[in-house]
Amino acid sequence: MHRSAVLTIIIFMLLSIVVGFQSNETNEAKSAEKLVVLKRAGSENKFENDNKTSVEESIITVKVVLGDKEEWKKVKPNMIRPPDYKLYIDETDVGNMESILYDVWFTNGAAEVYIQANNSYRKLTEQESKVLYEVIS
């Protein structure tokens, strides 16, 4: 009986160490994501690196604001100017080699977002637009 209790404790400790190690790896992988923001320079279609952050809260916020797939429409918008911002979440450090590039326009308090890769368009609510602007500017 004494041996089985010691063996159980040792197994429990080893499992705790393994689970803790895996949890730490997951957190490190998440922190490897970077939100990259490119801001339009002047009135032309030229962009400069404006911001790069790996703050997990900012990345999660952007994912939540842009992530509602039911709100996206398959359409190519006809905009009169280049986007104000281009942004993407760089996940190459965590094994995802493809990043979605978002074109973002801010007009009259609302953001309009376009994904060229799949011709998806979405107009954000005023509240979503404010949150997105605070994170990327």
Side-chain angles (χ1 to χ4, degrees):
M1 279 253 175
H2 180 64
R3 264 190 176 166
S4 64
V6 171
L7 186 58
T8 303
I9 290 171
I10 291 173
I11 290 173
F12 178 74
M13 289 173 53
L14 288 173
L15 285 174
S16 298
I17 292 170
V18 169
V19 168
F21 179 72
Q22 287 176 342
S23 174
N24 192 27
E25 275 185 350
T26 302
N27 290 338
E28 286 176 13
K30 284 183 181 177
S31 68
E33 294 178 326
K34 293 175 184 66
L35 173 63
V36 179
V37 179
L38 306 171
K39 185 176 183 178
R40 188 178 74 226
S43 60
E44 297 180 25
N45 198 13
K46 295 182 181 176
F47 294 83
E48 57 189 30
N49 197 343
D50 187 51
N51 190 3
K52 191 175 202 177
T53 181
S54 59
V55 176
E56 190 173 350
E57 292 168 9
S58 297
I59 295 168
I60 290 170
T61 300
V62 169
K63 284 181 174 182
V64 168
V65 168
L66 299 176
D68 190 359
K69 303 211 184 305
E70 294 160 5
E71 296 290 325
W72 289 90
K73 297 177 181 150
K74 291 283 188 185
V75 65
K76 184 175 181 176
N78 188 13
M79 305 305 268
I80 59 172
R81 69 177 198 279
D84 299 315
Y85 295 91
K86 290 182 178 275
L87 59 103
Y88 63 95
I89 297 173
D90 182 1
E91 298 176 330
T92 54
D93 290 344
V94 293
N96 185 1
M97 299 308 281
E98 295 181 25
S99 296
I100 298 172
L101 179 64
Y102 298 92
D103 292 343
V104 183
W105 291 263
F106 286 98
T107 309
N108 299 327
E112 296 177 80
V113 186
Y114 176 62
I115 303 170
Q116 289 182 7
N118 60 7
N119 287 330
S120 294
Y121 168 83
R122 178 168 181 227
K123 187 170 186 172
L124 303 180
T125 66
E126 194 172 316
Q127 183 62 34
E128 291 170 328
S129 300
K130 285 179 185 178
V131 169
L132 181 63
Y133 186 77
E134 287 176 13
V135 171
I136 68 174
S137 65

